[in-house]
Amino acid sequence: NIAAVKQLKDQGKVKYVLGFNEPDMGDQSNMSVSDALALWPKLESIGLPLGSPATSWPTNQWITDFMDSAIKQHRRVDFICVHMYVGTDDKSFVQVLQDVYNKYHLPIWVTEFATADWAAASPGANHYTAEQALGFMQRLLPQLESLSFVQRYSWFSGDPKSNALWPSALVDGAGHLTTMGAWYAAYKPNQAVKR
């Protein structure tokens, strides 16, 4: 895989590399901090800007241990990847990002975020509505745009049938944009992207 990514880099098709996906979770990349650090030089060898692992919460012990050890070992981490699944509290969301930045002074990419109710036993039992999730998005995105250290962000579109994430769906069951999806698609297009 490293050789394949290097080839894509040489072809100009890859410009960044993201670290391990939720290594603190058993159903994701599921690895110890020491295993991640042992493999990290392989990711560094690609020679592209390299994002940290993205844990299930950006201030949990796994990522703290990883970053502290990476700094001591002089490992290269060019930006912090963040996953945050919350309710609708945009102020707390921004404060967590500020805390992460204050600790490491590295740019932040919010590579997954959405409104989620992980305890919901059914879509109808979800504590949030699509309207509440949209309101959260509409309050939060201008704040993300205003934070100089947030370089990228990407909403995680929930499956419209998901108990936990249906209010965050950008696309409905028929493949059409939801109200949220249409708003997100029209919000501040990235002018740097060649269409």
Side-chain angles (χ1 to χ4, degrees), residues 20-86:
F20 306 111
N21 184 67
E22 297 185 354
D24 57 319
M25 301 294 287
D27 63 343
Q28 297 296 320
S29 59
N30 188 27
M31 58 177 52
S32 68
V33 170
S34 58
D35 286 345
L37 287 165
L39 292 170
W40 202 252
K42 291 184 179 196
L43 298 180
E44 290 177 296
S45 76
I46 296 168
L48 289 171
L50 177 56
S52 73
T55 53
S56 59
W57 187 255
T59 58
N60 71 16
Q61 196 61 51
W62 197 103
I63 194 64
T64 300
D65 291 347
F66 176 88
M67 287 301 298
D68 291 350
S69 296
I71 290 165
K72 285 179 191 165
Q73 295 177 20
H74 303 288
R75 295 285 167 223
R76 182 169 56 83
V77 176
D78 298 305
F79 54 93
I80 305 289
C81 295
V82 166
H83 289 182
M84 268 206 283
Y85 291 92
V86 297

